[in-house]
Amino acid sequence: MTLKREEIVQTLEKILSPEQVVTELSVLKESSIDRFRRFEGYHGVYLQPFPAAVVYVNNSQEVSEVLKFANENGINIVPRTGQSATEGGLETAAENSIVLDGSRMNKIVKIDPYNMQATVQCGVPLQKLDDLLREQGFTTGHSPQSKPLAQLGGLVATRSIGQLSTLYGGIEDMVVGLEAVFPNGQISKIKNVPRRAAGPDIRHIVIGNEGALCFITEVTVKIFKFFPENNVYLGYTLENMKTGFEILREVMVNGYRPSVARLYDPEDAAYHFSHFSEGKCVLIFIAEGAKPLADATAGAIREIVDESGACTPVEPKLIQRWFENLNWDPSDIAEEKKEIIETKNICNTTEISSNWDRIHDIYEVCMERIRNEIPDLTMLGAHSSHSYLNGTNIYFVYFYNVVNCGAEEEITKYHLPIKKIVVEETIKAGGSMCHHHGVGKHRTHWIKDEYGSSYYMLKTLKDAFDPNGIMNKGTIFPIED
Amino acid sequence: MKFAIVLNGCSQTYRSQAEEIYGFLKTSFLTEGEGETFVVCENEKQRDEIIRYAPTALLHLIKMDRYQPEAILHFIEHYEGMKEFRYILFPSDFAGQELSVRLGSRLKGSSMVAVEEIDVLEDGVLCSKLVYGNHLRGYFKLDFPPFCISLQKGGKEPCPIPVIKNRQIFNYEQRSDQDSFIQTYLFKRSEKDEGLESAAFVIIGGYGLGSREAALNLQKKASELDAGFGVTRPVAMNGWMNMGKMVGVSGELVKPKLCLVLGASGSAAFMAGIKKSEFIVAVNQDAKAPIMNQCDVAVIDDYVPVMDALTALINTWQSDFETKRTSE
Amino acid sequence: MKVLTCFKVVPDLTLLTDEDWQVVNNQVDVGFVKNDWNPFDESALEMTLKLSELSESLSGSMELTAVSVGNKKIDSFLKTLLALKFQHAVRIEAEQDLRFNPHQIAAWLAGYVKKSHQDVVVMGVQSGVGDNAQTPLLLAEKLGWPSITQVIGIKPEKNGCLRVTSQMDDGVLEQVIKPPVVLSVGNAPNSFLRVPTLKDKLNYGKKSVEVIIPTDIIVDNTTEAEIHAPKLIKLSAIENQRDSVKIQDGTPSDKATILFNRYLKQRLKKL
């Protein structure tokens, strides 16, 4: 028997306290979407079912009790912390959902510089943790664009990656241990050790689960020594992407680890670097760490780039200033909202990855198809921002004018058709359809193609940990009626 | 050194224009006795106020149909004694800006807008003003008198104008065809804007309020102090105050002269919403909260007793100030 | 009706860090941050496009020209305006430092206005770096045209007139006026320029930017413009950081008293 809205709210108020259960309509509206539907939100159009309540929890025990209640009554739970999601992961797809907000769990539990790890509750903002660490000469090494907004729980849940990933890795390389709560109320803690060969690495059941398996309450991440004074910034312009990918590969396969290795195509470069790109591609590296390492890395990269004979260096300060302003500045977000409402021009992105041998093909075919098939585009560009030994990613960036349709059609008329092209072409070429934003609710359609025969393993996790299907319905796993 | 002042008596802001100029005069090398004020006015009703608050004893009253820069410029440009003035001062407002530059051009003098301070040079005048988007102060030499200067908004403290005896008043009536390009003219006086975004004094409560009751209490207090009231995103998201009161990037962006922030930690998203405030005071128990290093004054304490004491102080002072001002 | 919209491309000064504010030879190097439309000019450009659209049905189309002063680095901005269907995109070629010389800019613009027989000039009231707030006013004087400042709306009217809404110090003024006129745009409610599609960029962006050498358009004597321009004597840093004075000793009431007497009393007086 499904519970009515009021009954859900009443029970939640009993389990927690009335003060922790918010039912204010404007809050519910705002909590029914994330940045994926911001165009609708900016125009006051809210089409997702409003949640029954937004619930603020203070500790793991409370999380456990709320999950047990939801699990017993088949109520959908949408976990969240910093609310910077971009792929619909926070949309409340089912009627009478409970939005489970961990942002009040914001204690820094322990900073342990001897063992080089920091333990924090899920609601600790990354910016706060990293600022605190930097005061003491350390860093998390994690720097996604959402850093000023995102909190640790959400970052781990979405398999976040930062701009410095080529040196420090993605969040999966940083998480040492964690605590998560499952739908049946089970609170599980994975201990913090350097490595173990004691069966499969169960951290990976939790990292990237996007709230579809469990609620993350605490994480322990590695910390690194921070030497910003040693940073070496390198920037170049070059004629084409193919050469750029070759240079990136050369740097990676020779074992060099710059923190940043990025390649912009001419359109994307014109957007970020109009003051110097002059219609060309832009290639960027930052070498950091202890001085001998940073210098050696920078020196080797310079050599590789010089050998290619294809690049013209630019003033390092140009790169430094750009890098310092890369993260979402909250005032830019406010400005963006105003601009979108006035101009009806909006930017969205899709990020994929592939091995070196197909990456340029994917780039070419996607650009060509989007340009030809999608109306009202005002900008279409791409960049590679995270490279690995065996391949790299591409971040497609597109702006379009939303014309001759309602705000609610923006997604179906523009954004999803573009995503479809990128995802399908990538999967066809053997790449991955999601590099770092997560699946959210709008790429679930292709999840089986993404996984192939290994979908069995993924689905088994869902069936085992969330047999009643209460965790973030429609995220990672498509809603199948 | 003779100087002139040009004020717009057609505007309701006349008195504050005069007090602004008077405040500037007090801190400059110019002496009141050597100044003459030119005021444009529309009708007889304003006459008394204009005379009472004119910043110099000598006053030229120019009656016109309405504020119209072409006609005003035409009059002043052709006023016979204009050549005698080495300085012509204008207030910081829109009218002051447009008149100063255009008059400077017509009189073959030099002009500058938004001037903070002036200093005498042997062969000109040195003016300082903010440049590079308020990041730097520039010092400029103006060579050709008359030096037509409009002031920087909020640059110097306005100064009440004392009662001036022995006023000398010259009246003019100006009808001109300078504004014949205008076919229709419709002026709507703006109502006092009550919105948070335009409030001069704003009080904002953060998550440290802790409850809906505390938020409502603070809102009441703010209205008693004639301040706009806002809250941070967590307060709104917890349902303690409606979303319309939210300050920050997803809510209102405020730019008051005085912004009092209570119990807010100062997330980047919130700070962006108040960063254009002229003066920020933060009250918070947590000395390490980010806002404590991004404000002008940080009071480290529980906001409740601090606010109670502060309200009492403001109320006492306010009644004193009002009595003093009306008796002047 | 021929409408000329003047704009300036300015560096995004918010991207500069404290250490960048080094004054060398009375200048600050702003060359390594992104450029963008001067916000007031951006409003002016969008306002011009809206005016032209409205005019289409009322009294036929307008001939739109966009003009800026500078070197070829600003051509991409002019190309964008061509893609937005400005018929002409004009650049007055200049390499010299004009940050504090609105007189020179106004002289060139006046020359171009006369040469190309414009009816209306639209531009922002002020632009960054120099913050002179003088160019449109000086231009009006050089042309001998009337001027309306702080414009927030322009609409077409019959018989070649315009309905111009502008902010006054104590209200809003709406006038129907007969050009010629110089309109300088203030804090308009719509401040963003629309974005051209890739298709329009392809179709209209092929047109080339007209480059004009100043000596071709100067009608009055340039030296006058230079002499009357104020001379920059020096630049000095101002403290932008807030002081963050801490009040932490004594009872809450002591703290409130210190706060009030030292910091609030004077400020409240100004309100």
Side-chain angles (χ1 to χ4, degrees):
Chain A
M1 199 189 78
T2 49
L3 292 180
K4 290 205 204 76
R5 248 178 129 73
E6 303 74 49
E7 294 169 318
I8 296 174
V9 172
Q10 275 166 17
T11 314
L12 287 170
E13 286 181 345
K14 256 180 245 153
I15 296 174
L16 305 164
S17 69
E19 184 272 322
Q20 291 169 272
V21 182
V22 177
T23 55
E24 181 102 352
L25 183 62
S26 53
V27 175
L28 299 182
K29 267 190 192 177
E30 175 94 4
S31 302
S32 68
I33 61 170
D34 61 25
R35 281 181 63 82
F36 190 84
R37 291 188 191 271
R38 71 193 190 287
F39 192 80
E40 294 171 26
Y42 292 168
H43 289 87
V45 176
Y46 294 91
L47 299 171
Q48 306 305 297
F50 293 168
V54 175
V55 167
Y56 290 87
V57 280
N58 293 317
N59 53 53
S60 308
Q61 197 51 46
E62 287 184 354
V63 174
S64 167
E65 280 166 38
V66 172
L67 287 184
K68 247 192 294 183
F69 160 64
N71 196 35
E72 280 158 16
N73 293 283
I75 304 163
N76 185 45
I77 293 279
V78 178
R80 76 171 188 200
T81 51
Q83 301 179 55
S84 58
T86 57
E87 302 294 328
L90 298 184
E91 286 170 16
T92 45
E95 291 292 337
N96 294 340
S97 301
I98 297 170
V99 173
L100 195 55
D101 188 304
S103 63
R104 285 192 195 174
M105 296 178 63
N106 57 5
K107 280 188 205 61
I108 293 176
V109 180
K110 188 179 183 188
I111 290 177
D112 177 356
Y114 192 74
N115 293 311
M116 297 296 278
Q117 55 196 28
T119 302
V120 299
Q121 288 187 319
C122 58
V124 169
L126 174 60
Q127 184 87 55
K128 186 175 167 187
L129 175 62
D130 209 49
D131 287 352
L132 190 73
L133 286 170
R134 286 185 184 195
E135 276 174 24
Q136 305 172 23
F138 301 101
T139 175
T140 56
H142 197 55
S143 181
Q145 242 185 331
S146 59
K147 185 173 170 182
L149 306 174
Q151 299 173 3
L152 266 299
L155 290 165
V156 174
T158 52
R159 268 183 101 84
S160 162
I161 200 166
Q163 291 128 13
L164 313 174
S165 70
T166 310
L167 177 60
Y168 298 103
I171 197 101
E172 69 276 16
D173 301 305
M174 302 168 171
V175 172
V176 182
L178 49 76
E179 181 190 81
V181 186
F182 289 85
N184 61 1
Q186 167 70 37
I187 303 173
S188 293
K189 197 158 191 160
I190 302 176
K191 68 180 172 183
N192 306 323
V193 289
R195 184 187 186 264
R196 52 180 169 168
D201 193 338
I202 52 174
R203 287 176 298 186
H204 291 287
I205 296 170
V206 177
I207 301 172
N209 87 84
E210 297 186 37
L213 300 178
C214 60
F215 187 99
I216 300 166
T217 46
E218 187 184 287
V219 299
T220 300
V221 291
K222 295 174 189 166
I223 61 175
F224 301 88
K225 284 203 169 184
F226 186 51
F227 312 95
E229 64 280 9
N230 300 337
N231 285 10
V232 185
Y233 298 85
L234 302 170
Y236 304 89
T237 58
L238 69 166
E239 291 299 330
N240 63 65
M241 289 293 278
K242 198 163 174 61
T243 315
F245 284 125
E246 284 307 327
I247 296 171
L248 284 179
R249 180 180 172 278
E250 210 49 42
V251 169
M252 296 309 296
V253 300
N254 283 296
Y256 297 109
R257 301 289 291 273
S259 58
V260 172
R262 292 170 91 102
L263 171 67
Y264 286 77
D265 80 352
E267 275 261 347
D268 209 1
Y271 182 72
H272 289 275
F273 313 110
S274 59
H275 49 309
F276 69 85
S277 76
E278 293 176 340
K280 299 204 170 117
C281 298
V282 170
L283 183 61
I284 289 167
F285 296 97
I286 302 176
E288 67 172 82
K291 193 157 174 40
L293 261 178
D295 289 348
T297 306
I301 292 172
R302 274 195 205 102
E303 236 169 71
I304 291 171
V305 173
D306 286 349
E307 246 165 60
S308 78
C311 302
T312 316
V314 301
E315 178 70 33
K317 205 168 174 185
L318 290 164
I319 306 304
Q320 193 179 347
R321 285 299 167 270
W322 158 81
F323 185 70
E324 286 161 354
N325 290 287
L326 192 52
N327 286 345
W328 283 347
D329 178 340
S331 34
D332 292 347
I333 293 181
E335 191 78 344
E336 186 209 49
K337 174 177 174 179
K338 196 169 171 256
E339 188 163 359
I340 288 174
I341 292 171
E342 273 182 33
T343 61
K344 308 267 181 213
N345 186 261
I346 187 168
C347 172
N348 276 303
T349 60
T350 299
E351 20 61 66
I352 56 94
S353 68
S354 139
N355 291 346
W356 292 115
D357 60 348
R358 297 305 301 277
I359 197 77
H360 187 253
D361 300 340
I362 295 173
Y363 167 72
E364 293 263 277
V365 69
C366 291
M367 294 297 281
E368 171 84 14
R369 281 193 58 196
I370 298 169
R371 211 178 272 133
N372 292 332
E373 295 172 29
I374 306 297
D376 311 315
L377 282 176
T378 62
M379 184 274 195
L380 171 63
H383 61 257
S384 159
S385 42
H386 307 272
S387 283
Y388 309 88
L389 184 70
N390 55 339
T392 189
N393 83 311
I394 299 179
Y395 198 83
F396 290 95
V397 180
Y398 34 89
F399 284 73
Y400 42 82
N401 287 332
V402 181
V403 288
N404 303 323
C405 71
E408 66 283 1
E409 289 168 89
E410 176 254 334
I411 288 169
T412 45
K413 184 170 174 185
Y414 303 102
H415 194 174
L416 289 179
I418 299 174
K419 261 204 160 41
K420 184 169 155 54
I421 292 172
V422 175
V423 165
E424 290 183 354
E425 291 297 341
T426 303
I427 291 178
K428 209 187 328 174
S432 169
M433 67 170 184
C434 301
H435 176 262
H436 64 267
H437 284 176
V439 181
K441 294 199 170 64
H442 302 280
R443 278 187 267 194
T444 55
H445 185 66
W446 299 281
I447 193 77
K448 289 176 190 162
D449 298 333
E450 166 76 17
Y451 273 78
S453 61
S454 66
Y455 185 71
Y456 162 74
M457 296 163 71
L458 184 74
K459 185 71 174 59
T460 304
L461 288 178
K462 180 76 174 171
D463 295 341
F465 290 111
D466 182 22
N468 299 341
I470 63 148
M471 294 304 285
N472 209 354
K473 209 161 271 178
T475 297
I476 301 182
F477 305 90
I479 296 177
E480 286 166 336
D481 295 315
Chain B
M1 205 154 310
K2 278 194 78 175
F3 69 94
I5 294 165
V6 178
L7 301 176
N8 174 13
C10 305
S11 169
Q12 285 184 315
T13 62
Y14 170 76
R15 184 173 165 188
S16 54
Q17 295 169 39
E19 292 182 346
E20 180 186 51
I21 292 270
Y22 195 66
F24 180 81
L25 284 182
K26 288 260 165 199
T27 62
S28 79
F29 58 82
L30 298 167
T31 43
E32 291 151 54
E34 290 175 310
E36 299 179 21
T37 305
F38 292 77
V39 184
V40 185
C41 66
E42 285 167 322
N43 54 47
E44 289 300 313
K45 265 191 285 173
Q46 302 155 318
R47 228 184 115 86
D48 291 348
E49 196 204 354
I50 289 175
I51 295 170
R52 163 64 185 86
Y53 295 109
T56 60
L58 208 159
L59 173 62
H60 302 272
L61 257 180
I62 310 143
K63 194 163 167 267
M64 286 188 179
D65 295 338
R66 59 199 180 195
Y67 174 81
Q68 213 301 309
E70 313 304 325
I72 297 167
L73 287 165
H74 184 78
F75 175 86
I76 300 181
E77 179 190 355
H78 293 98
Y79 172 74
E80 256 178 59
M82 217 60 209
K83 295 237 156 45
E84 294 168 32
F85 300 116
R86 189 165 169 87
Y87 299 91
I88 307 177
L89 302 180
F90 299 79
S92 66
D93 58 7
F94 296 155
Q97 285 197 8
E98 64 179 355
L99 295 177
S100 60
V101 177
R102 298 183 68 189
L103 192 65
S105 174
R106 289 188 188 195
L107 298 175
K108 306 269 180 261
S110 327
S111 61
M112 183 149 276
V113 165
V115 170
E116 276 184 325
E117 276 178 3
I118 55 174
D119 226 327
V120 197
L121 295 176
E122 223 167 87
D123 52 347
V125 61
L126 187 71
C127 295
S128 65
K129 66 173 287 188
L130 299 180
V131 293
Y132 282 86
N134 294 350
H135 283 91
L136 296 173
R137 178 170 288 116
Y139 295 84
F140 297 86
K141 181 176 174 246
L142 276 56
D143 293 301
F144 289 81
F147 306 114
C148 298
I149 287 163
S150 70
L151 305 186
Q152 185 202 25
K153 198 162 242 155
K156 297 280 177 217
E157 197 164 323
C159 181
I161 293 171
V163 177
I164 299 177
K165 288 183 188 132
N166 307 324
R167 292 232 183 238
Q168 258 187 295
I169 301 160
F170 299 92
N171 291 292
Y172 311 84
E173 192 137 344
Q174 170 77 359
R175 301 219 165 267
S176 85
D177 50 6
Q178 297 307 310
D179 54 0
S180 61
F181 73 108
I182 299 171
Q183 323 254 306
T184 68
Y185 184 102
L186 179 69
F187 177 64
K188 270 188 225 140
R189 195 143 277 163
S190 42
E191 299 295 308
K192 195 175 162 234
D193 193 344
E194 303 287 334
L196 197 55
E197 297 204 24
S198 59
F201 178 20
V202 169
I203 296 177
I204 299 169
Y207 190 52
L209 295 183
S211 71
R212 183 195 290 265
E213 290 66 40
L216 289 170
N217 276 339
L218 188 61
Q219 184 179 31
K220 204 168 136 234
K221 210 153 242 180
S223 113
E224 284 163 14
L225 291 173
D226 234 352
F229 179 66
V231 297
T232 61
R233 185 177 165 87
V235 175
M237 289 305 280
N238 274 279
W240 298 339
M241 188 53 61
N242 68 56
M243 292 276 224
K245 291 276 176 225
M246 189 158 80
V247 174
V249 291
S250 39
E252 309 269 319
L253 307 177
V254 301
K255 41 183 186 304
K257 292 199 186 310
L258 178 58
C259 184
L260 184 54
V261 186
L262 310 169
S265 65
S267 74
F270 170 67
M271 291 311 292
I274 63 165
K275 71 173 180 198
K276 288 193 175 157
S277 306
E278 230 172 79
F279 197 79
I280 299 174
V281 178
V283 186
N284 199 312
Q285 281 173 306
D286 178 5
K288 287 193 113 184
I291 194 170
M292 304 310 251
N293 290 316
Q294 296 175 52
C295 59
D296 295 283
V297 177
V299 180
I300 299 151
D301 211 321
D302 180 3
Y303 85 92
V304 180
V306 174
M307 196 55 201
D308 286 345
L310 190 62
T311 317
L313 284 165
I314 294 178
N315 284 335
T316 323
W317 167 81
Q318 220 154 29
S319 47
D320 287 359
F321 181 67
E322 279 312 310
T323 341
K324 212 170 123 206
R325 192 174 172 175
T326 38
S327 68
E328 256 168 8
Chain C
M1 190 183 293
K2 291 180 81 168
V3 181
L4 178 71
T5 314
C6 314
F7 71 96
K8 187 171 158 191
V9 172
V10 294
D12 185 347
L13 298 178
T14 60
L15 301 182
L16 293 176
T17 58
D18 291 347
E19 62 180 280
D20 293 334
W21 290 105
Q22 300 286 341
V23 179
V24 180
N25 296 329
N26 256 353
Q27 280 194 10
V28 169
D29 185 358
V30 291
F32 44 84
V33 289
K34 245 171 98 160
N35 292 323
D36 213 338
W37 311 99
N38 170 43
F40 290 114
D41 296 334
E42 185 175 359
S43 302
L45 289 162
E46 179 62 28
M47 214 178 263
T48 307
L49 289 169
K50 288 209 173 89
L51 170 69
S52 175
E53 280 171 353
L54 289 171
S55 152
E56 205 104 326
S57 54
L58 190 80
S59 51
S61 59
M62 292 179 157
E63 188 175 334
L64 305 186
T65 304
V67 64
S68 188
V69 177
N71 62 22
K72 70 176 186 343
K73 283 193 171 164
I74 59 176
D75 281 359
S76 63
F77 290 84
L78 286 156
K79 287 264 185 193
T80 300
L81 296 174
L82 285 172
L84 289 173
K85 297 172 195 148
F86 275 83
Q87 282 95 330
H88 313 280
V90 178
R91 174 162 61 79
I92 299 174
E93 178 78 45
E95 283 288 355
Q96 66 265 55
D97 181 12
L98 294 163
R99 295 173 221 210
F100 299 107
N101 200 341
H103 292 257
Q104 182 64 78
I105 298 196
W108 288 341
L109 291 176
Y112 181 73
V113 169
K114 284 183 190 158
K115 193 182 168 202
S116 58
H117 306 289
Q118 303 289 334
D119 300 303
V120 177
V121 177
V122 190
M123 63 200 293
V125 285
Q126 183 172 349
S127 67
V129 183
D131 297 320
N132 301 297
Q134 290 194 320
T135 311
L137 302 166
L138 294 171
L139 176 59
E141 288 305 313
K142 285 183 198 299
L143 293 169
W145 290 7
S147 154
I148 301 174
T149 63
Q150 305 297 338
V151 170
I152 54 172
I154 316 171
K155 281 186 181 151
E157 283 284 323
K158 282 178 213 130
N159 308 322
C161 289
L162 296 175
R163 180 175 295 271
V164 179
T165 314
S166 59
Q167 268 185 325
M168 303 269 277
D169 292 299
D170 58 345
V172 173
L173 175 62
E174 197 178 292
Q175 308 176 80
V176 174
I177 54 107
K178 181 117 187 115
V181 67
V182 175
L183 302 175
S184 66
V185 174
N187 289 312
N190 286 309
S191 49
F192 293 100
L193 181 63
R194 63 192 66 186
V195 188
T197 60
L198 294 176
K199 264 197 197 107
D200 283 344
K201 276 188 185 168
L202 268 183
N203 293 339
Y204 300 94
K206 281 186 206 126
K207 266 197 186 173
S208 53
V209 171
E210 291 169 47
V211 180
I212 289 183
I213 310 297
T215 48
D216 291 350
I217 45 169
I218 282 302
V219 277
D220 58 356
N221 117 38
T222 27
T223 50
E224 184 245 5
E226 282 155 16
I227 291 169
H228 280 242
K231 290 188 191 71
L232 177 65
I233 305 298
K234 73 167 180 180
L235 285 175
S236 69
I238 49 171
E239 199 53 62
N240 259 320
Q241 281 285 329
R242 296 182 187 270
D243 292 340
S244 305
V245 180
K246 305 273 189 299
I247 303 178
Q248 48 192 343
D249 299 325
T251 65
S253 167
D254 295 342
K255 292 174 190 170
T257 309
I258 295 170
L259 174 65
F260 180 71
N261 287 334
R262 283 200 201 147
Y263 304 101
L264 298 191
K265 207 193 278 179
Q266 290 307 311
R267 292 201 158 70
L268 288 165
K269 211 189 271 182
K270 279 198 200 177
L271 299 183

